[in-house]
Structures are given as C-alpha cells and as structure tokens.
C-alpha cells in the first residue's frame, strides 16, 4: 500500500493492542517496583496513552530508514537501465521487476514502483511528476536531491546517463556513512538503556531477597520522596542519553 506521508505512522489495530498491553504492563510493573501501591500502579499504567505519539514517531523513523535503504537498490537499478539506453519510465518498470526478485513483497519501495508503473501505463502520467510526488511524500533529503537532479537534467538537456550515475554514487556514499553512524549510536543507546534498567532490577531483587532492608523506602514519607526522585532521575537520564546519542545525519 502506498503511503501518503512517510513522516507519520498510523498504528494498525493489532499494533495498537500490542502497544497498549505491553506499555501498560511495563508502566504498571515499574510503578509497583518503586511504590508498591497496587491502586497507584494500576492508575499510572494508563499513562501509556500519552506515549503513543512517541511510539508512532519511532516507527515512522524506522520505516523511513528502511525506505532509504531500499531506495539505494532502486537507484542502482535505475542507473543500470538508463546506462543501457532506457528512458526513465522504462527504467522504473524494469526496477520494479528487478527489485521484486530481491526484496520482500511488503516492501514500500515496491509499492511505490507499482504505483508509478500503473500510472505510467494506464494514465500516461509524467515520470517527473510521479517522482516529485514520491520525493515530497517521503520527506527524505536523498530522494528529493535525486529527483531535483533528474528534473533539472531533463529540463536543461544534460547528459542524463552520466548525471544519474554520479548522483547514485554520491547518494549511496551518503547512505553508507549514515548507516555507519546509526550503527555506532545504536550501540551507545543500547548501553544507556541497559544502565537505565539497573535501578528497577536492583529494587526488584532487593524486594525478593531482602524486603525488610528497603522497607523504610515504602513506608515513610522520606522514603517515598527518595523513590520519586530516583524514578524522575532515571527518566531524566534516559531522555538526556537519547538526546545526546541522537545525531542529526
């Protein structure tokens, strides 16, 4: 299915159920570990509703990264077809056939190519219009740059084969650099998340092995304040870590 706006993600019914159940269980467990108050934990679990926009933003970002990787394969196919003397409309049709052999059927780039192929054959639409529409909906700088280069080359009458081949090389190099940066930052994010899990894990172990040792934290006003401060500090640390490791690429 063609996506109207890649910057937004709409959860399916099954995804909503999985997110709400999993999120509620996680928040309930964390709240109960820090406060050991059943009713409070049950109530705080509904905060999962406020987290849905962040989850959708995360999924939209993952989908866009996948689209960028698939677009790189599309570029290789387009460049190969054009160097063989094909027009862009013919290259798009060939790209759909070529990529269908190496990419899964639920690929977004295949859905986009199928839409373009149909529009070219049945509606006789312009390849420039179709590519421009795809670039606009993708919100991807690399795709926009490629379409802009192709449109300018078509309008100015440049060496299309050479320009597209060079553009493919430059965009591919940029994507490879981005992939390396993402791999490095992903490792640091994972390390930070594992560290953030240590306080609730330690509290859970102490509750199981030596509940009397930490009893004052759950039965006194000072203990409640300390636990609230620890919980707030944990969330602040996670948020700060995410912002530091979220490199703009």
């Amino acid at each position: 299915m063609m996506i109207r706006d890649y910057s937004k993600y709409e959860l399916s019914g099954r995804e909503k159920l999985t997110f709400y159940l999993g999120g509620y269980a996680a928040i309930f467990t964390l709240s109960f570990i820090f406060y050991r108050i059943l009713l409070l934990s049950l109530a705080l679990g509904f905060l999962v509703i406020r987290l849905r926009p962040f989850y959708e933003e995360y999924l939209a970002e993952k989908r866009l990264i996948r689209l960028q990787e698939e677009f790189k394969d599309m570029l290789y196919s387009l460049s190969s077809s054009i160097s063989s003397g094909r027009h862009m409309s013919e290259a798009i049709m060939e790209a759909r056939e070529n990529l269908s052999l190496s990419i899964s059927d639920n690929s977004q780039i295949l859905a986009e190519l199928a839409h373009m192929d149909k529009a070219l054959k049945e509606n006789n639409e312009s390849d420039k219009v179709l590519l421009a529409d795809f670039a606009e909906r993708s919100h991807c700088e690399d795709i926009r740059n490629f379409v802009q280069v192709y449109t300018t080359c078509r309008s100015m009458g440049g060496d299309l084969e050479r320009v597209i081949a060079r553009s493919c090389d430059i965009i591919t190099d940029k994507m490879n650099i981005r992939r390396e940066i993402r791999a490095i930052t992903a490792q640091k994010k994972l390390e930070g998340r594992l560290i953030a899990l240590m306080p609730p894990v330690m509290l859970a172990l102490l509750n199981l092995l030596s509940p009397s040792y930490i009893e004052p934290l759950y039965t006194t006003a000072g203990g409640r304040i300390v636990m609230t401060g620890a919980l707030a500090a944990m969330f602040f640390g996670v948020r700060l870590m995410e912002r530091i490791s979220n490199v703009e690429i």
Side-chain angles (χ1 to χ4, degrees):
M1 182 180 64
M2 190 183 66
I3 306 298
R4 295 308 312 170
D5 188 346
Y6 280 91
S7 66
K8 299 178 182 178
Y9 191 99
E10 183 67 28
L11 293 175
S12 65
R14 184 175 182 178
E15 287 174 330
K16 288 178 184 178
L17 180 63
T18 303
F19 169 71
Y20 284 131
L21 290 179
Y24 185 92
I27 295 176
F28 170 82
T29 302
L30 186 64
S31 302
F32 193 77
I33 288 174
F34 274 86
Y35 294 106
R36 209 193 290 170
I37 302 175
L38 181 59
L39 292 178
L40 177 62
S41 300
L42 289 171
L44 289 176
F46 289 100
L47 288 175
V48 67
I49 298 174
R50 303 291 298 272
L51 299 179
R52 177 178 168 181
F54 299 100
Y55 184 60
E56 290 178 334
E57 181 180 350
Y58 165 75
L59 292 180
E61 182 180 357
K62 283 188 63 177
R63 182 178 61 188
L64 183 56
I65 292 174
R66 181 184 175 189
L67 179 68
Q68 290 173 334
E69 292 297 324
E70 294 173 347
F71 178 70
K72 182 179 67 173
D73 297 331
M74 173 183 165
L75 281 180
Y76 282 128
S77 180
L78 291 178
S79 178
S80 176
S81 297
I82 290 176
S83 64
S84 300
R86 304 288 195 277
H87 296 293
M88 179 58 77
S89 57
E90 296 173 329
I92 290 174
M93 298 176 191
E94 286 189 356
R96 180 189 179 188
E97 297 175 359
N98 295 335
L99 295 183
S100 63
L101 301 176
S102 58
I103 300 181
S104 61
D105 293 337
N106 61 346
S107 162
Q108 288 301 325
I109 203 68
L110 281 181
E112 293 292 343
L113 287 171
H115 166 70
M116 293 182 197
D117 191 4
K118 182 178 179 181
L120 288 168
K121 291 179 179 178
E122 298 181 3
N123 302 329
N124 198 29
E125 292 190 31
S126 168
D127 51 16
K128 292 193 295 184
V129 173
L130 293 172
L131 288 171
D133 175 65
F134 173 44
E136 184 66 25
R137 291 185 289 105
S138 70
H139 295 273
C140 176
E141 181 184 359
D142 292 328
I143 299 177
R144 285 176 173 173
N145 289 342
F146 171 76
V147 173
Q148 184 177 10
V149 168
Y150 169 68
T151 303
T152 302
C153 189
R154 280 282 302 273
S155 301
M156 303 296 293
D159 187 346
L160 185 60
E161 177 183 342
R162 182 179 178 182
V163 169
I164 289 184
R166 181 58 179 162
S167 299
C168 289
D169 291 339
I170 294 174
I171 292 173
T172 299
D173 289 341
K174 289 175 60 179
M175 288 182 177
N176 290 335
I177 294 173
R178 285 197 184 102
R179 188 190 304 113
E180 293 177 4
I181 294 175
R182 278 195 294 265
I184 296 172
T185 56
Q187 181 181 356
K188 297 304 179 182
K189 286 182 180 181
L190 178 61
E191 293 173 359
R193 289 164 185 169
L194 290 176
I195 293 173
L197 284 175
M198 291 181 65
V201 170
M202 291 298 297
L203 276 174
L205 289 175
L206 288 172
N207 273 288
L208 291 174
L209 302 177
S210 182
S212 60
Y213 179 75
I214 58 173
E215 189 67 24
L217 292 174
Y218 295 102
T219 57
T220 64
R224 298 292 187 193
I225 295 174
V226 170
M227 294 297 262
T228 301
L231 185 60
M234 187 184 73
F235 278 111
F236 176 77
V238 171
R239 183 62 178 167
L240 182 62
M241 179 273 299
E242 293 285 343
R243 292 187 62 181
I244 292 175
S245 58
N246 189 24
V247 180
E248 293 291 336
I249 55 178

